[in-house]
């Protein structure tokens, strides 16, 4: 498409082209790299870069932590609660939705980190695919930070050709719904994905119509440790809306999603959550909280642990990385759990 | 690149030491729900620690019993002793063929049995062997065979527990441990049998289940039978009695029976003795003392009728 639109010269280097289309780190799930960014990297001679390789290893380590410790443990409880949702209280269903929220983020952003880190070892630079989306202050910001390579792909090859945010109000509304519905449909031929896309379009629309969709471009609480009350409230609201939408994404079908949501909004919402394996789930909740804190600390970087410990003495820094390895060894579930995005 | 390789190697060494140290601290400091991938329990269910300590005193026995808790709770060595047979029960909780292979590699030559009675329970063949490996690591000595077992099982729980086990052995922390003979309602009987006096079971409906054989376990089972037979020791496979409500839940028992028959003489005691679920069992798996007596006497009768006991006694006499 880029060649057709004369944005890219066709390559005559078959080896570079073949290597580009079969580049193994991101072949299965992403980031979805464009030829314009990745292909020229195959033409250049690459020398081994010590700092780049170390950075790659750190990103791989963090990716493994996200996938194995966060996503796979959350998956155990998300699956348990979603698969037997009619048996559980409203509060347990909320917990189930939260587990899935962290599962999908840990799973896919973990995969992306592993892919980007592996590429760095070989001297390739892949685009950042997740930029701490759960710290977004509105849905527009969330979509600038979630699966960036897919969102920008849809923006450049679908939204803008349709007219983007130009034209009258009806055109804007139409284009917004088209892009989100297609994005939902891209995930699979199930009405649940369409509903998920539709919900996100609904969330996005007020921002677009009031011209506030490009309000929060910089990182939240930049240069500060804590956000303001307003920022915190906006983050919480965006996160809640996202969790609600994920229920549709995870549910087996629309009626399951509706029964799940009606289960949440029942008197049992205020009961203590209760399900099989609660103590072990508590360990997962603690890990998710620690993980969120580390992500918050590192939110201005490309990945959370990129700069953490950089000024610490070497043994302390190494102990920090070793602790992450230890946590992987201690909390890795014994049942294999494939990457969610392999199915899409 | 050289600097990268040197620093990576140094880091790996640092991490190894850090990992082992933290593993020991974690095991000691935290409750079980905070340490899912390490489970080191000396003196756990089944008295394996006492059994493996006692085994050193045994040699040239007549019968060696192998298998799961159905074995150590099912073959009463006192009943066999009354019939003039010196036996040892080497059963352990959820013992899968992977663990059985290690146990016979370690002890078969020392025990030098004339007959091996191997209890085979279908579910055991579908397990990954992790739980039983943890029992063996915490309650027995750890050596090359245990490392081989850990590599075969390839589970992080087994690796962590084994590393911790090695450290404990290195520091001699288990030396002073004495396992109580009586635990709850269990009493360890010299020779490996565990007696449970509690005697009543209220059967509850169980879901239907299909027997699935894990090829890895079958491979080890094959090796076990080959090893025992290569030493000219007779092997008898026994499906010990379980409550009817549990036995009938399996939809393909015939398939399992056919597989077992291919390997050696095989007795499915659920088709041989008629026991009452409430009166002869204490849970959905295990015989109580009344049940054990009926089962063991029937087994001895079968061994007599088939001439196996005659052959065992003949070997016994020739050794004497």
């Amino acid at each position: 498409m880029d060649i057709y639109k004369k944005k890219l010269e066709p390559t005559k280097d078959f080896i570079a082209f073949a290597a580009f289309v079969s580049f193994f780190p991101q072949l299965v799930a992403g980031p979805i790299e464009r030829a314009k960014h990745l292909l020229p990297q195959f033409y250049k001679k690459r020398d081994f870069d010590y700092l780049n390789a170390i950075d790659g290893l750190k990103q791989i380590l963090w990716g493994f932590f996200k996938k194995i410790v966060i996503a796979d443990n959350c998956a155990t409880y998300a699956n348990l609660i979603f698969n037997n949702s009619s048996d559980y209280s409203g509060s347990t269903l909320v917990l189930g939705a939260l587990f899935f929220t962290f599962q999908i983020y840990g799973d896919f952003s973990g995969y992306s980190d592993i892919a980007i880190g592996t590429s760095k070892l070989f001297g390739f630079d892949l685009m950042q695919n997740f930029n701490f989306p759960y710290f977004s202050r509105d849905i527009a910001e969330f979509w600038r930070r979630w699966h960036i390579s897919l969102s920008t792909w849809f923006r450049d090859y679908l939204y803008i050709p349709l007219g983007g945010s130009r034209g009258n109000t009806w055109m804007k509304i139409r284009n917004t719904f088209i892009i989100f519905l297609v994005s939902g449909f891209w995930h699979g031929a199930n009405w649940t994905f369409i509903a998920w896309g539709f919900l996100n379009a609904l969330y996005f629309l007020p921002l677009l119509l009031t011209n506030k969709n490009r309000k929060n471009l910089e990182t939240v609480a930049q240069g500060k440790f804590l956000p303001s009350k307003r920022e915190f409230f906006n983050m919480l609201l965006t996160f809640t809306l996202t969790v609600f939408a994920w229920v549709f994404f995870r549910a087996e079908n629309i009626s399951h999603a509706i029964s799940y949501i009606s289960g949440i909004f029942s008197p049992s919402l205020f009961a203590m959550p209760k399900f099989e394996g609660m103590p072990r789930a508590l360990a997962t909740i603690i890990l998710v909280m620690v993980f969120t804190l580390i992500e918050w600390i590192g939110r201005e970087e490309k990945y959370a642990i990129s700069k953490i410990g950089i000024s610490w003495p070497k043994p302390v820094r190494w102990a920090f990385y070793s602790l992450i390895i230890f946590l992987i060894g201690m909390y890795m579930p014994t049942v294999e759990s494939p990457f969610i995005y392999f199915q899409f | 690149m050289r600097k990268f390789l040197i620093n990576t190697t140094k880091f790996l060494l640092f991490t190894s030491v850090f990992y082992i140290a933290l593993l020991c601290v974690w095991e000691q400091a935290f409750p079980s729900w905070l340490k899912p991938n390490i489970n080191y329990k000396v003196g756990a269910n089944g008295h394996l620690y006492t059994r493996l300590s006692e085994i050193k005193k045994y040699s040239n026995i007549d019968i060696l019993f192998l298998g799961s808790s159905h074995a150590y709770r099912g073959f009463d060595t006192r009943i066999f002793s009354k019939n003039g047979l010196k036996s040892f029960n080497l059963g352990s909780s959820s013992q899968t063929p992977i663990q059985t292979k290690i146990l016979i590699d370690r002890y078969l030559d020392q025990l030098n049995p004339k007959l091996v009675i191997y209890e085979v329970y279908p579910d055991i063949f579908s397990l990954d062997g992790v739980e039983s490996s943890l029992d063996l690591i915490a309650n027995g000595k750890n050596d090359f065979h245990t490392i081989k077992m850990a590599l075969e099982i390839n589970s992080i729980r087994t690796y962590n527990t084994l590393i911790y086990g090695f450290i404990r052995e290195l520091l001699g922390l288990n030396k002073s441990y004495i396992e109580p003979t009586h635990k709850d309602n269990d009493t360890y009987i010299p020779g490996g049998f565990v007696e449970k006096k509690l005697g009543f079971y209220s059967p509850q409906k169980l879901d239907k289940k299909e027997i699935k054989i894990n090829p890895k376990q079958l491979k080890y089972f094959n090796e076990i039978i080959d090893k025992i037979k290569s030493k000219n020791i007779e092997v008898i496979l026994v499906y010990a009695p379980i409550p009817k409500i549990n036995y009938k839940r399996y939809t393909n028992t015939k398939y399992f029976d056919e597989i077992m028959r291919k390997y050696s003489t095989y007795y499915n005691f659920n088709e041989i003795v008629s026991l009452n679920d409430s009166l002869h069992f204490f849970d959905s798996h295990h015989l109580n003392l009344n049940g054990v007596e009926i089962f063991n006497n029937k087994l001895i009768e079968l061994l007599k009728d088939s001439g196996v006991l005659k052959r065992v006694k003949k070997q016994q006499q020739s050794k004497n």
Side-chain angles (χ1 to χ4, degrees), chain B residues 55-64 85-88 107-115 312 315-316 319-320:
Chain B
I55 202 169
K56 291 163 198 157
K57 297 180 209 158
Y58 282 76
S59 61
N60 295 320
I61 59 171
D62 298 318
I63 304 175
L64 170 65
L85 296 160
K86 187 181 171 190
S87 63
F88 191 83
Y107 301 113
L108 191 67
D109 289 342
Q110 174 209 319
L111 294 171
N112 191 24
K114 288 146 201 95
L115 170 68
V312 168
Q315 281 187 57
Q316 203 180 44
K319 287 245 164 98
N320 290 338

Side-chain angles (χ1 to χ4, degrees), chain A residues 34 105 127-156 159 165 179-180 183 196 200 203-204 207-208 211-220 238 242 299 301-302:
Chain A
R34 316 247 190 109
Y105 173 62
M127 71 180 292
Q128 188 181 10
N129 208 21
F130 288 83
N131 190 11
F132 309 97
Y134 291 154
F135 301 138
S136 301
R137 286 151 292 180
D138 58 51
I139 282 295
E141 187 185 6
F142 176 84
W143 280 106
R144 280 192 298 275
R145 293 172 176 274
W146 180 275
H147 200 350
I148 299 165
S149 60
L150 181 69
S151 310
T152 50
W153 196 96
F154 276 127
R155 182 196 65 199
D156 295 346
Y159 187 65
S165 55
I179 192 172
F180 276 108
S183 171
W196 171 76
N200 275 287
Y203 296 161
F204 189 86
L207 296 168
L208 184 77
N211 241 346
K212 288 181 179 167
N213 57 317
R214 296 194 63 78
K215 195 178 142 200
N216 296 309
L217 294 176
E218 80 297 348
T219 308
V220 62
T238 309
T242 311
R299 71 193 181 282
E301 307 304 329
K302 293 246 165 139

Side-chain angles (χ1 to χ4, degrees), chain A residues 50 279-280 322 329-332, chain B residues 7 15 33-34 36-37 156 160:
Chain A
Y50 175 77
R280 176 96 197 260
S322 302
M330 185 51 71
Y331 294 101
M332 167 196 286
Chain B
N7 275 347
T15 300
W33 61 272
L34 269 177
N37 284 346
I156 190 73
N160 283 342

Side-chain angles (χ1 to χ4, degrees), chain A residues 67-68 71-73 75-76 79 103 107 332-340 342, chain B residues 128 154-156:
Chain A
K67 164 64 182 154
I68 297 169
D72 291 355
N73 278 301
T76 309
N79 292 341
Q103 179 198 348
D107 192 286
M332 167 196 286
T334 43
V335 180
E336 196 186 335
S337 180
F339 285 98
I340 296 179
F342 279 9
Chain B
D128 55 12
N154 198 22
S155 157
I156 190 73

Side-chain angles (χ1 to χ4, degrees), chain A residues 66-287:
Chain A
K66 280 178 175 176
K67 164 64 182 154
I68 297 169
V69 179
I70 301 302
D72 291 355
N73 278 301
C74 286
T76 309
Y77 305 107
N79 292 341
L80 177 78
I81 295 169
F82 270 89
N83 294 344
N84 308 284
S85 55
S86 56
D87 301 343
Y88 295 117
S89 65
S91 54
T92 310
L93 297 180
V94 170
L95 205 54
L98 285 168
F99 277 130
F100 181 68
T101 300
F102 284 98
Q103 179 198 348
I104 193 158
Y105 173 62
D107 192 286
F108 194 23
S109 73
Y111 179 86
S112 297
D113 280 338
I114 296 166
I116 296 166
T118 310
S119 303
K120 279 181 188 167
L121 287 175
F122 294 97
F124 287 92
D125 170 47
L126 298 188
M127 71 180 292
Q128 188 181 10
N129 208 21
F130 288 83
N131 190 11
F132 309 97
Y134 291 154
F135 301 138
S136 301
R137 286 151 292 180
D138 58 51
I139 282 295
E141 187 185 6
F142 176 84
W143 280 106
R144 280 192 298 275
R145 293 172 176 274
W146 180 275
H147 200 350
I148 299 165
S149 60
L150 181 69
S151 310
T152 50
W153 196 96
F154 276 127
R155 182 196 65 199
D156 295 346
Y157 297 111
L158 186 64
Y159 187 65
I160 292 173
L162 282 170
S165 55
R166 284 167 296 163
N168 61 32
T169 307
W170 287 112
M171 288 292 275
K172 284 181 190 175
I173 296 172
R174 186 200 70 170
N175 294 347
T176 303
F177 272 97
I178 286 175
I179 192 172
F180 276 108
L181 291 175
V182 170
S183 171
F185 195 61
W186 178 85
H187 287 91
N190 193 335
W191 285 108
T192 52
F193 297 125
I194 304 287
W196 171 76
F198 182 80
L199 261 180
N200 275 287
L202 279 185
Y203 296 161
F204 189 86
L205 214 54
L207 296 168
L208 184 77
L209 296 177
T210 54
N211 241 346
K212 288 181 179 167
N213 57 317
R214 296 194 63 78
K215 195 178 142 200
N216 296 309
L217 294 176
E218 80 297 348
T219 308
V220 62
Q222 209 157 16
K224 288 184 264 175
F225 184 69
L226 291 174
S228 66
K229 278 181 195 163
R230 191 185 175 82
E231 283 171 331
F232 181 76
F233 173 77
N234 287 343
M235 276 196 297
L236 196 65
L237 180 67
T238 309
F239 182 72
T240 309
L241 291 172
T242 311
V243 174
F244 186 78
W246 284 135
V247 172
F248 285 89
F249 194 93
R250 172 62 181 79
E252 297 299 319
N253 47 51
I254 289 287
S255 63
H256 181 214
I258 290 167
S259 73
Y260 195 98
I261 288 162
S262 25
I264 290 178
F265 294 107
S266 65
S268 60
L269 177 62
F270 303 100
M272 272 296 280
K274 202 177 165 191
F275 56 94
E276 208 181 315
M278 264 298 270
R280 176 96 197 260
L282 195 59
T284 302
I285 293 168
I286 294 170
L287 286 166

Side-chain angles (χ1 to χ4, degrees), chain B residues 49 172-178:
Chain B
Y49 185 87
L173 294 177
N174 292 350
K175 275 183 185 163
S176 57
Y177 178 75
I178 299 166

